[in-house]
Structures are given as structure tokens and as C-alpha cells.
Amino acid sequence: MKWHKRILSMIQERQDKKVALAVDTSSNDAPTILINNIVKLFETVKPDTILVQADFKIRSISPIKSDTIKWYSHGKSSYTLVLEWAKEEQIDTLFYITDVTGFFSEDLEKLDYEMFWLVPGVFLPRVPFGKAIKVA
């Protein structure tokens, strides 16, 4: 699993940075075992990572813990609130686990932090900014 090593080294390289991991909880069809394993990796390697659970709104912001993800089945997702939250909280690096089918506000200001989209599944869509990494 090439992506495993890549993400591990990315987390390790950011030990002195303020890091957040957002999880798109808008679908209970998500590959939950894979996502929980990614969350567990962050929890183990960088335990001060902030976990953000969001769909069309931010559901929770907490210390990272892999057994706390709550899924919803409505399928609606907006990234704007999480991206704005990361800017306000002066996050250095935001990792976002999502299929990248959600919405962005057209008024979204330029991001001043690193952005990585962790995309489960075989399809790797284009992202409007940041870098997409296939995790499957």
C-alpha cells in the first residue's frame, strides 16, 4: 500500500505543525474500515491532530479518536465551513477524507494552509486546490 507510507511520512514531516483531519460524514456508504484506519494512523503518529466531522455542517470538532465517527445517510456535503474553520484556527495542514463530490462556496477566500484530499475509492477526481491522494 504505497499511499500508506506516503501519508505516514506526510504526518511525520508535520510533527511541529498544527494539523487537522476532516472526515466527510455525509454518507454511510463510506468505506468505514479504511477511514477508521486512516484516523487511527493520525491518532497514533500525531495524537494532537484535531478531528473535524462534517457534512453540510460541522458536526463535531474534537481530539482525534478513531472510534468516534458518526455517519449520516443524506449524501449532502459542503466543504466551505471546514475550510473557513481551518483558516480561522490557523491550521497549517488540513487533510480531508472525502469523495470530493461536495460543494464549495464561490466566495471562498484563498487558502493559506496546506490542503490534502484523501480520496477513498478507485476514481480520483480533480480538486480545485490542494493535492488529491487516492487511498484505496
Side-chain angles (χ1 to χ4, degrees):
M1 290 190 217
K2 195 174 176 182
W3 65 267
H4 249 121
K5 290 180 182 174
R6 184 173 180 195
I7 292 175
L8 174 62
S9 68
M10 292 172 79
I11 298 167
Q12 290 170 328
E13 290 166 3
R14 289 160 180 79
Q15 283 299 322
D16 60 338
K17 304 282 187 183
K18 191 171 181 182
V19 173
L21 175 64
V23 178
D24 177 357
T25 59
S26 65
S27 172
N28 55 9
D29 291 334
T32 56
I33 293 171
L34 172 66
I35 292 170
N36 280 331
N37 285 339
I38 294 169
V39 175
K40 187 73 173 167
L41 180 64
F42 276 86
E43 183 182 348
T44 303
V45 178
K46 186 154 177 45
D48 62 340
T49 300
I50 301 165
L51 178 64
V52 180
Q53 296 183 55
D55 44 40
F56 60 87
K57 65 181 181 179
I58 293 176
R59 298 282 182 171
S60 72
I61 299 170
S62 64
I64 196 147
K65 193 105 170 75
S66 59
D67 60 357
T68 60
I69 308 293
K70 183 169 179 355
W71 302 100
Y72 298 88
S73 59
H74 51 69
K76 296 179 201 161
S77 188
S78 172
Y79 305 120
T80 305
L81 292 175
V82 174
L83 299 174
E84 289 173 343
W85 169 86
K87 184 173 181 136
E88 288 168 17
E89 292 297 314
Q90 299 179 328
I91 298 296
D92 294 312
T93 306
L94 176 64
F95 293 87
Y96 210 130
I97 302 173
T98 181
D99 58 8
V100 197
T101 58
F103 302 97
F104 300 91
S105 168
E106 303 219 352
D107 300 334
L108 188 65
E109 292 181 29
K110 185 176 182 316
L111 304 181
D112 55 358
Y113 52 85
E114 281 186 299
M115 179 75 206
F116 296 100
W117 303 93
L118 305 180
V119 184
V122 293
F123 176 67
L124 187 62
R126 264 190 153 159
V127 292
F129 46 83
K131 181 140 181 62
I133 300 169
K134 185 165 56 169
V135 291

